[in-house]
């Protein structure tokens, strides 16, 4: 999936303009990079467009996954994107669903496995049958 399509799908799922979808996507991916191990971040990044890979680059400070729950994940996204937590929750689901469509193989499943059970509410919409956008 190319960058413009990724952003367009997040924009459609969140009901926001593309410029806002870029900000929301960046906030979600940056937070996800903190939560995953560095190796998993790299595995995910190589399957995404270059503009999104930059956000997912692990560094020496985030080689090990930080341990924080789903509520903290949403809070971090809200702070980064300067939105309320309800909007952040919608954005997380939208980005996760778009990620699932954008990457091949079982990579999204590998990502989901690193997230504790309490993330289910955020991850399950991406795993649900029919979560893909309907094309006219």
């Amino acid at each position: 999936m190319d960058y413009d399509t990724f952003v367009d799908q997040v924009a459609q799922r969140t009901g926001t303009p593309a410029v806002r979808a870029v900000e929301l996507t960046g906030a979600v991916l940056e937070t996800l990079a903190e939560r995953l191990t560095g190796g998993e971040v790299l595995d995910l990044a190589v399957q995404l467009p270059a503009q999104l890979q930059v956000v997912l680059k692990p560094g020496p400070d985030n080689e090990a996954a930080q341990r924080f729950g789903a509520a903290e994940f949403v809070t971090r996204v809200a702070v980064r994107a300067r939105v309320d937590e309800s909007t952040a929750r919608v954005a997380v689901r939208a980005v996760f669903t778009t990620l699932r469509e954008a990457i091949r193989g079982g990579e999204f499943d590998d990502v989901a496995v690193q997230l504790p059970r309490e993330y289910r509410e955020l991850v399950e919409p991406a795993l649900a049958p029919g979560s893909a956008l309907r094309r006219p």
Side-chain angles (χ1 to χ4, degrees):
M1 178 181 296
D2 67 24
Y3 178 74
D4 290 335
T5 302
F6 194 103
V7 170
D8 180 57
Q9 289 191 7
V10 172
Q12 288 181 51
R13 288 186 168 107
T14 57
T16 62
V19 172
R20 192 67 181 134
V22 168
E23 294 169 356
L24 294 169
T25 299
V28 172
L29 292 179
E30 188 175 343
T31 306
L32 184 61
E34 292 172 342
R35 186 60 186 83
L36 300 176
T37 63
E40 191 57 47
V41 171
L42 287 174
D43 290 348
L44 177 60
V46 298
Q47 294 193 44
L48 294 175
Q51 298 94 321
L52 299 177
Q53 289 178 9
V54 173
V55 179
L56 286 170
K57 293 286 183 193
D61 295 338
N62 63 355
E63 181 58 34
Q66 293 181 27
R67 300 286 181 207
F68 54 86
E72 176 65 17
F73 191 100
V74 170
T75 298
R76 289 181 186 205
V77 170
V79 168
R80 284 189 168 108
R82 298 174 312 281
V83 297
D84 60 52
E85 290 194 3
S86 176
T87 301
R89 190 170 288 103
V90 169
V92 170
R93 290 179 185 140
V95 172
F96 281 177
T97 300
T98 306
L99 271 176
R100 172 95 177 170
E101 294 174 0
I103 57 182
R104 63 191 172 280
E107 188 58 39
F108 188 82
D109 295 334
D110 292 347
V111 167
V113 163
Q114 287 201 16
L115 302 174
R117 196 171 181 90
E118 70 179 277
Y119 280 75
R120 176 174 275 168
E121 172 201 350
L122 300 173
V123 175
E124 277 188 351
L127 300 173
S131 64
L133 286 177
R134 303 284 183 243
R135 301 278 180 211

